[in-house]
Every structure is written in structure tokens, then in C-alpha cells.
Amino acid sequence: MFVPRSLKVRRNANDDDRSCAAKKVKPEAEDPQLGAGGDGPADDASGTKEAALAAHHGAQPRPLPGPASQVPEGGLAGPGQRAQDSDLLEEPVKSFSKTQRQAEPGEPVCVVCGRYGEYICNETDEDVCSLECKAKHLLQVSGVEEPLALGGPQKAGSEPAAPRPASYVYTEHAFISNLREDQIENLRRQLGIVVQGPGVPRPIVDFEHCGFPEALNLNLKASGYEVPTPIQMQMVPLGLLGRDVLASADTGSGKTAAFLLPVIMRALFQSKMPSALVLTPTRELAIQIERQAKELMSGLPRMRTALLVGGLPAPPQLHRLRQRVQVVIATPGRLLDIIKQSSVELGGIKIVVVDEADTMLKMGFQQQVLDVLENVPRDCQTLLASATIPASIEQLASQLLRDPVRIIAGGENLPCSNVRQVVLWVEEPAKKKKLFEILNDKKLFKPPVLVFVDCKLGADLLSEAVQKITGLKSTSMHSEKSQPERKNILKGLLEGDYEVVVSTGVLGRGLDLVSVKLVVNFDMPPSMDEYVHQVGRVGRLGQNGTAITFINNNSKRLFWDIAKRVKPTGSLLPPQLLNSPYLHEQRRKEQQKDKQTHNDLVTGANLMDIIRKHDKSNAQK
Ligand SMILES: Nc1ncnc2c1ncn2[C@@H]1O[C@H](COP(=O)(O)OP(=O)(O)OP(=O)(O)O)[C@@H](O)[C@H]1O
Ligand SMILES: [Mg+2]
């Protein structure tokens, strides 16, 4: 009988001192078709120098723990797990084999040979397929990997799994303390940082000011993060101090690292797991954030992530959860399913991040997010981030936060200024022709082009039409595609396999599509906030990009909003929009509302009028 390997978790009596590699899961019975192919490492036999090194690093499986330690601290052990664990007692960690099967979509991939990464390296938390690949991997990382030490260089040759320091307290660096208040204000002004709230710490200007472990400093450098971006300068010290934050900053301005750095530093010093939770609206964004978290956490002792997203088999995700993970990155739906099965205990969570917070707190996601937050301790730190935080969300957000600090970095709710925005008036029947013209225009066409439409069928049909008429390699992307398909399309988009990808809003938020230089909003998004995010798939962190948007009377209710939020970026708007009676009517209504609000305010100028009016109405009574 096939027993899912997710239930066969090889664990050590002492959780913090695990065996070399924990057995990973195969979600389904092995497919013989997937067994062969691909180049393996040069040394494919056991008994190599790498194998010896692996053995030295504890690569042999250790005896399984006794019954008491079967239940991880996260409370994840399922019924019957012990019996199944004991099935594995005699099974050693595999040696490298060229016939090790390839990973199926969603399965872990060996970081050395690219095959199915059946084990987790206990020292780096990377996926490996065998003893030999683990050894090679350790050789590759040796010299880079440093044990944990705060704020100073590491001693050579010390043990990678150094004991976890008891705590970390952020203290302002002397360089920052020595700046005058007016210099800090000037710095914030020049960087476009606005802060609101009590007791806001000064921004950092260098990651070194945070006193991070050396391994983390090295990881930042390895990721090319030499200096913090404005949102990171202000949000990182706040996050490190344990403060609740509501942050908005331009698309592509580095919000992910701004919340991941506090997440990592909080999680690093907790023994109860998981201790950090990141929620995102889409699977692709969760996958991207997990990748970035792993990059930043590499070499930090006992830091692991679990990705809990729909569309992928649940058993591997549950298996991963059982590996004493510190950081959970999840979409709300899948996480709620797992919570309902009592397969995860969130009582140890110290920090929660809600990325793309505005869409996560809107109808649709709101209830799920609130349900998840019900399961984390009330006193945990909360960070909310997005490029757009509309006023309506600010109210709800502030109810979820304690003494929050509001940070606005860049233009509030505006499209990123690196994006060249072109808004064209195109009637519905002419839109396809216009798109083909753009794709044929040598100056404008810079593949891959990302085209946004408003429905799934529209994405399929338009992608087919593009391929047929222009001959360009095109595909469609939407939520009805299977997760493996979605993964391949995104990979193809990033690696230049497609010249055109026609997508619904599923690719509209958070994704760092660095290769995309041109976005076309074939259908105007339903709100200006979504517009800001969709055009923000280009122009990431100082890069340039172009966004072309087709507009006509179908979006008439947005005309005034478009004028208000696109014009300040210097873009020209079509005369049909600027002269539209709808725009004038919307502007008039808004001015009237503003005037009303203004009249309702009691000022020195209108105080006497208000008193007179009051007396008059009393006299009439
Ligand atoms: N300090 C830094 N130095 C250099 N590159 C950075 C830095 N911080 C972030 N980046 C890079 O900038 C790009 C955009 O970052 P990120 O995805 O975090 O943006 P974002 O603000 O979350 O955007 P969005 O609103 O679209 O989600 C990424 O490629 C990231 O690796
Ligand atoms: Mg983001």
C-alpha cells in the first residue's frame, strides 16, 4: 500500500539538533515517467570526499525520537504518525542516483542537481536529494556561511549551528543619534518619507546601523542590497522595535525586505514555532516572498519557512510545517483550511505581516484575513503594507493595530514615477487593432509584454488572437489555470519564453517581474488602486518602464480619479477624457463635498455665523 511520505517524518529526539536531513514528502505515487534524465553532479558514487564531509556534518540518519518528542512544538503531529515514522527507522538517507526522479511542480528541488529534493539540509535549510548533493552544497556554501553573531565579524571555523543568542534589542546607532533633529527632518523630506504616530524612531541610512547578525549582513550584500530604500530606512527600525506599522510606498520600492527584516529578527530569537506569519493575496506572491525570505535567512541557525498556498498538494506543505519552521508564508484560504484541521498552532506567532493590505482587507479577502488574525495572539506585532492604502482601509487597519505608525514613502496612492504612463482613448471595437499596432511598433514593443484584461475568457481569447495575428509567442494567465501551469507561465514570463502574456489581475500585485518593460492595460482596471499596482509591474526600483492604458466611456466613473492620480505624474491625458461631462460632474460633486466638510468645521472665521444661525433656529422654535 502506498503510504504518503509526508507522514514519514524523520525527526530527532532533540529537535534543535536534527539529523542531517529530514525526509521530504512525495505527494503522489511516483511516476515512472519522471524517473530519468538530466545531468547529475560529477561525482555520483557514494564514498566520495563529499560523502565523507556529509557524514562529518551528521549526514547519517539518527535514531528516531521517543514518543514524547513526536509532537513538534507547533502541535502538528497527526494521528498515526508514530507508527508511520517507525516504518522509516531502517531507511538511510539516500546516496546520489541519476535515476532520482525530477521534481513535480510544487515539489522541492535539489539545489545542487535539480532533481526531487527529498531532504532538507539541516545546516542551510536548502532542499537536497542525497548525501552527496548535501555534501556538495555544503562545500559550495562553506566560506560564505557564517554562524550567528550580532553586529560583528565571525570567528573562522566556528560551528554553523551556534547557540541562539537570547534576544536582540534594536538600539539606535551612534551615527544616527548624532544627527540633529533638523537633519533628520531634512533627510525624511528629501527621501519623501512622511510619518504619523507617536514615538517614531529615526530612520537608518545603512543596514549596518541595525546590528544584524553578520550572516544577514552578508545575505543583504549578496542580494545586491547595498543601501536601504526609503521605506526600508523608516520601516525597518520601527519593525525591529516591535511597533505596529501601516506602510504605503511606491510599487517596486522594496517593501518586501522592509517587512522581512523585522520578521527575520523577531523569529530568530523565538523558541516557540512558528513565530512569524506573512499573508499575501496570491500564491505567486507568496512563492516570491518565500524565495526572498530564504535568501535573507540563509546561514542563520534554525530558520525555516513553510509555504501554505492553494493549488498545490497540501501534504508536502503540512510536512514542511512539521520541520519546526519559524516563518509561515501563506494565502489566507489554505491557511484557514490547515487551521481548521488543527494542523497548525499559531499561538507562538509574534509578528504578522499582511502584504497588499488594502486588497486583503477589502470584501472578498477581509473575512478570511480577520479569521486568520483571530488565531494569532492579541499582543503580536502587526505590519500592514501596500503601494495603495485608501482612506476606507485606513480606518479598518487602525482597528487591527496598536499605537501604529503610519509611513508614507513616495507619492501617496500614486503610480510610481519611474513608469512612463500613456493613456489612450480607444473605443471597445478598436482595442484589438490598437494592441496589434503596439505589438508591431518597433519602438514600443519590448518583449515580454504583459497585457492586463478584466476576465479569464478575455485573457484566453486575446492571447489566441495575438498569436494568430502577430505570430508572437503568447499565452494567457488567470486563476482557472492549474498551479503547475501558473508556475510555468510565470517562469516563462521571467525567462523570456513568451513575448506576450495576457493576464487577469492575478499578476497585478506584488510580483517583481524584472524582465517586463511594457504593460498594456487592454481593459482599464476596476479601480485606480488596481491601476497603480498593474502599471507598477514595470519601473521597479529605479528601472524605467512604460504602461499603456486603453480608456473609453466604459470606465467613465473613474475619470476624475484618473485625472487626479495620473496628471500629477506628468502624463498627458486624452482630450475625450479631459473634456468629458462625466469628469466635470465628478469634480463638481467632489468640490461640493469638500466645501460641505469645510463648512462643517468650526473656525474663527465662521464661528459668529454658526452662533447666529443657532440663535435664529432656537428663536423660531
Ligand atoms: N535595498 C535594496 N537595494 C537593492 N535592491 C533592492 C533593495 N530592496 C529591494 N530591492 C529590490 O527591489 C525590487 C522591488 O522590491 P519589492 O518587490 O520588495 O517591491 P515592493 O515595494 O514590494 O513592490 P510592490 O508594491 O509591487 O509589491 C526587488 O527586485 C528587490 O529585490
Ligand atoms: Mg510587494
Side-chain angles (χ1 to χ4, degrees):
M1 193 186 73
F2 173 67
V3 180
R5 285 180 189 234
S6 58
L7 301 175
K8 294 182 168 185
V9 183
R10 190 187 302 283
R11 305 195 68 241
N12 193 284
N14 175 357
D15 273 328
D16 282 341
D17 187 17
R18 296 176 303 273
S19 66
C20 109
K23 196 83 175 162
K24 289 210 161 201
V25 66
K26 288 178 189 172
E28 289 150 8
E30 277 187 35
D31 181 351
Q33 302 270 325
L34 293 165
D39 290 334
D43 301 316
D44 62 353
S46 54
T48 58
K49 137 176 116 162
E50 288 80 8
L53 180 70
H56 171 73
H57 281 282
Q60 292 306 318
R62 296 185 185 184
L64 282 168
S69 55
Q70 293 278 337
V71 183
E73 211 168 324
L76 276 164
Q81 177 161 344
R82 250 172 59 198
Q84 281 145 352
D85 276 350
S86 63
D87 290 350
L88 263 180
L89 207 57
E90 300 307 321
E91 199 182 327
V93 178
K94 276 187 193 165
S95 274
F96 177 77
S97 158
K98 277 192 175 163
T99 57
Q100 169 78 344
R101 68 183 180 85
Q102 299 297 317
E104 288 176 38
E107 283 187 344
V109 174
C110 173
V111 287
V112 176
C113 71
R115 292 178 171 79
Y116 169 48
E118 205 165 336
Y119 304 94
I120 301 167
C121 173
N122 57 327
E123 288 174 21
T124 63
D125 194 34
E126 293 292 358
D127 300 316
V128 289
C129 71
S130 59
L131 274 179
E132 287 74 12
C133 279
K134 181 194 175 190
K136 279 198 163 224
H137 167 57
L138 286 175
L139 277 180
Q140 282 165 1
V141 299
S142 62
V144 178
E145 198 172 325
E146 301 276 354
L148 181 70
L150 289 173
Q154 298 295 304
K155 279 185 237 130
S158 50
E159 279 298 305
R164 195 181 287 256
S167 65
Y168 161 86
V169 180
Y170 170 77
T171 39
E172 196 171 83
H173 192 276
F175 175 84
I176 301 293
S177 304
N178 288 336
L179 294 174
R180 293 189 314 273
E181 197 50 47
D182 63 306
Q183 287 176 310
I184 295 289
E185 271 171 32
N186 198 19
L187 178 75
R188 284 201 182 112
R189 198 169 35 250
Q190 288 195 18
L191 294 169
I193 303 173
V194 175
V195 286
Q196 295 154 4
V200 182
R202 293 175 159 205
I204 52 158
V205 292
D206 195 315
F207 288 120
E208 302 273 341
H209 292 159
C210 298
F212 287 147
E214 195 55 18
L216 181 50
N217 285 333
L218 289 172
N219 294 339
L220 283 164
K221 290 218 164 68
S223 299
Y225 294 11
E226 293 293 335
V227 285
T229 63
I231 184 65
Q232 292 163 358
M233 290 180 182
Q234 188 61 76
M235 189 159 169
V236 170
L238 272 161
L240 294 175
L241 283 168
R243 296 289 302 273
D244 282 5
V245 177
L246 174 59
S248 57
D250 286 347
T251 49
S253 64
K255 293 185 288 295
T256 317
F259 62 69
L260 279 181
L261 289 168
V263 158
I264 291 169
M265 291 308 289
R266 282 305 295 271
L268 193 53
F269 298 94
Q270 306 301 326
S271 53
K272 203 164 178 207
M273 298 177 196
S275 57
L277 172 64
V278 180
L279 292 175
T280 79
T282 64
R283 302 159 190 177
E284 284 74 16
L285 183 54
I287 292 167
Q288 177 182 296
I289 292 174
E290 193 204 26
R291 198 180 313 125
Q292 197 169 345
K294 274 173 172 286
E295 270 175 34
L296 292 174
M297 281 158 43
S298 165
L300 292 172
R302 286 163 270 142
M303 289 292 282
R304 286 192 166 162
T305 57
L307 182 70
L308 309 180
V309 296
L312 292 173
Q317 298 179 1
L318 293 174
H319 171 81
R320 182 87 193 174
L321 261 180
R322 292 188 196 104
Q323 310 297 309
R324 290 182 59 79
V325 297
Q326 285 286 22
V327 181
V328 169
I329 297 142
T331 49
R334 173 59 62 91
L335 179 57
L336 279 175
D337 288 346
I338 292 176
I339 291 172
K340 278 181 202 142
Q341 292 167 19
S342 305
S343 294
V344 66
E345 165 55 55
L346 299 180
I349 296 289
K350 295 280 181 237
I351 179 166
V352 178
V353 177
V354 183
D355 195 16
E356 305 298 339
D358 55 335
T359 198
M360 295 287 267
L361 295 177
K362 262 194 220 141
M363 296 301 284
F365 271 122
Q366 189 189 81
Q367 197 50 51
Q368 287 187 331
V369 172
L370 296 179
D371 288 349
V372 170
L373 295 182
E374 280 289 300
N375 286 274
V376 302
R378 281 189 182 279
D379 61 349
C380 87
Q381 180 186 2
T382 308
L383 306 178
L384 307 180
S386 180
T388 51
I389 303 281
S392 52
I393 294 300
E394 259 190 272
Q395 267 178 7
L396 173 60
S398 53
Q399 286 166 20
L400 300 174
L401 304 174
R402 225 172 344 118
D403 300 330
V405 174
R406 173 80 168 96
I407 311 175
I408 300 160
E412 190 177 6
N413 296 336
L414 291 181
C416 173
S417 54
N418 292 334
V419 184
R420 186 167 70 104
Q421 295 167 78
V422 181
V423 180
L424 300 176
W425 188 272
V426 190
E427 297 297 346
E428 281 305 306
K431 284 196 328 195
K432 267 192 198 160
K433 191 163 166 265
K434 192 77 200 165
L435 176 65
F436 301 149
E437 272 172 35
I438 291 168
L439 298 177
N440 278 322
D441 186 319
K442 283 202 180 76
K443 272 196 197 144
L444 283 174
F445 178 64
K446 289 195 185 73
V449 177
L450 181 56
V451 181
F452 283 110
V453 293
D454 62 6
C455 69
K456 297 164 197 171
L457 184 62
D460 288 339
L461 294 177
L462 188 60
S463 158
E464 274 170 32
V466 166
Q467 181 126 359
K468 208 164 140 196
I469 306 288
T470 64
L472 294 169
K473 194 159 182 228
S474 170
T475 189
S476 60
M477 173 78 160
H478 50 71
S479 60
E480 243 158 52
K481 300 245 168 183
S482 71
Q483 192 54 30
E485 275 179 297
R486 282 167 68 160
K487 190 178 165 211
N488 285 336
I489 293 165
L490 192 55
K491 188 164 168 275
L493 176 62
L494 289 168
E495 293 176 1
D497 295 348
Y498 298 109
E499 289 161 301
V500 179
V501 173
V502 185
S503 175
T504 59
V506 73
L507 292 186
R509 279 186 176 249
L511 295 175
D512 195 34
L513 309 172
V514 276
S515 56
V516 177
K517 297 281 174 281
L518 175 64
V519 159
V520 178
N521 285 321
F522 185 88
D523 295 321
M524 175 68 196
S527 73
M528 271 310 278
D529 286 338
E530 290 325 302
Y531 172 91
V532 169
H533 289 270
Q534 288 184 190
V535 303
R537 291 320 95 208
V538 289
R540 317 276 301 162
L541 203 75
Q543 307 249 339
N544 289 323
T546 304
I548 301 176
T549 302
F550 298 165
I551 188 106
N552 56 41
N553 273 334
N554 281 353
S555 308
K556 57 180 184 257
R557 61 185 184 85
L558 295 177
F559 283 177
W560 176 229
D561 217 6
I562 296 173
K564 274 190 306 182
R565 286 160 84 173
V566 175
K567 253 184 142 187
T569 60
S571 304
L572 294 178
L573 290 171
Q576 293 94 326
L577 187 147
L578 291 173
N579 299 328
S580 163
Y582 300 111
L583 180 143
H584 296 298
E585 178 61 13
Q586 287 156 15
R587 181 172 47 199
R588 195 186 58 77
K589 275 191 181 156
E590 188 174 291
Q591 283 168 351
Q592 212 172 22
K593 217 165 127 193
D594 286 351
K595 210 167 142 195
Q596 186 61 45
T597 319
H598 185 75
N599 285 347
D600 289 348
L601 291 178
V602 181
T603 63
N606 66 10
L607 185 62
M608 285 318 292
D609 283 347
I610 292 170
I611 293 171
R612 261 186 236 117
K613 234 193 232 170
H614 179 77
D615 286 350
K616 213 168 144 189
S617 74
N618 270 356
Q620 275 168 2
K621 277 181 207 161

